[in-house]
Amino acid sequence: MKIGIIGIGFVGLSFAAVLGSKGYEVLAIDSDQDKVKKIIKGNTPFYEPSLSPLLQKALKKSLEVSSNTEKAVNECNLIFITVGTPTTSDGNINLNSLKAVAKTIGQTLTNSKNKPIIAIKSTVIPGTNHIIKQIIEKESKKKSGKDFGMISNPEFLREGKAVDDTFNPHIVVIGGEDCKTINKVKKFYEGFYKSTVPYITTNTQTAEMIKYANNSFLATKISFINQIANICQSIPGTNVDDVAKAIGIDPRIGGQFLKAGPGYGGSCLPKDIKALISFSESYGQSPTLLKAVQTANSQQVEILVSFMNKVLTSLKGKKISVLGLSFKENSDDTRESVSINLIKKLLKHKVKIIAHDPMAIENTRKIIGDKISYTKSIVEALKDSECVIIMTPWKNYTKLNNKDLKLMKSKIIIDTRRLLTKKKLDAKYFAIGLGSSN
Ligand code: UDX
């Protein structure tokens, strides 16, 4: 069986590298030729732990990378579409890339003897699979279910853990219109995973909805615990991590995604909840809970700025060190990063910022430019600083000690991820979700 993967972002590249490293014949396609050239040389276009060596292994074995979509349509039995589906400014989902791919697939199928299964992995609003099917049918003048197959197969991998999540997914969701096509895709996955991964087979629109419900629920858990954290912070001695640990033991709640912090960011959670709100409103629904989750998330950073203003008496002219720029640890991704959002807000208060991140400085520079200073040394970041705020839970920040703080002008630490709660630091220490007596 030959596998096609169209769109080499996080999902596409992780999937291609994992399958290729196991000897599956894979043809990965991207329209960006510079990106393709880089990947062919074994370089990943973004930082993702363990992905680079896996990609190199896959390229040596059975992974081919190119910009030739037609080749994938003519030669592959199963084609996964993993192109980006960003949101437009009004919150709707932008399907342009997906539609363009569908058009090329349809046009190529017209004169092809191949009968591939097309599986959409990109996150798309319910009903999209049907729209894509219609485009392919119109362009090819062929019939889905007879000349090609259509499947919705959402992906749940996380950045920073993409390789592990691709090898060990918690679920495989397969949505389709006919049992034969669904079973073929299920058989492919069963052959690969050979373990007890739960499978959910359903229709395409339900599969599409599962992904939105999943990400929206994760966002809800985070906003919930962030609100509890804010309440804890006003009760001296209270610790949100103990609260989260205890409620997470209740199997009806579950322990994951209960780490309070500055709010969720990244390329998925904010985008997906926005798209679900916009989609449900177009059907006359009032998604009040989802909107509240979104509001709670955007308020979290505002609360932080007010808190900093209070702790520092005034923000104006202060020198502040920001530790962590990526939206999460083990990633260089700054899309919808709360840290970047915080920096933008602090700059409005005429604050001088020096920022540190092990991986995300280049991506931050593309957004913020030279309005702030950057350093790869934590000690340098803290020199002459009047306040340090930890935004991203990089492991390195847990090692921060009194020696590192020595050159600070005034020793104030704001720890949004509670990395330093157990340390005896010679500083004024504040953390989200810790009720302090100050
Ligand atoms: C998310 C989903 O988890 C994944 O299933 C989907 O395929 C893509 O979107 P990702 O965006 O990579 O993955 O990151 P995730 O680990 O979900 O974190 C998102 C944001 O939430 C980060 O900013 C993170 O710091 C924050 N977060 C996460 C918390 O603040 N607290 C938590 O307990 C968990």
Side-chain angles (χ1 to χ4, degrees), residues 207-224:
E208 290 164 332
M209 188 61 197
I210 288 169
K211 177 65 195 260
Y212 278 103
N214 204 98
N215 271 359
S216 297
F217 191 72
L218 294 176
T220 305
K221 277 188 107 173
I222 299 169
S223 277
F224 172 82

Side-chain angles (χ1 to χ4, degrees), residues 156-157 159 222 257-259 264-265 268 327-328 417:
F156 300 90
L157 66 80
E159 287 184 27
I222 299 169
F257 276 68
L258 288 178
K259 281 195 205 99
Y264 58 79
C268 294
F327 85 100
K328 69 190 286 191
R417 308 282 187 163

Side-chain angles (χ1 to χ4, degrees), residues 11 123 155-161 165 170 211 214-215 218 221-222 225-226 255-270 272 326-329 336-338 391-393 417:
V11 173
T123 302
E155 176 57 54
F156 300 90
L157 66 80
R158 295 161 293 177
E159 287 184 27
K161 292 186 176 146
D165 283 352
H170 72 275
K211 177 65 195 260
N214 204 98
N215 271 359
L218 294 176
K221 277 188 107 173
I222 299 169
I225 201 67
N226 284 345
Q256 292 193 39
F257 276 68
L258 288 178
K259 281 195 205 99
Y264 58 79
S267 65
C268 294
L269 262 45
D272 292 351
S326 54
F327 85 100
K328 69 190 286 191
E329 69 281 22
E336 298 284 330
S337 161
V338 185
M391 289 299 289
T392 313
R417 308 282 187 163

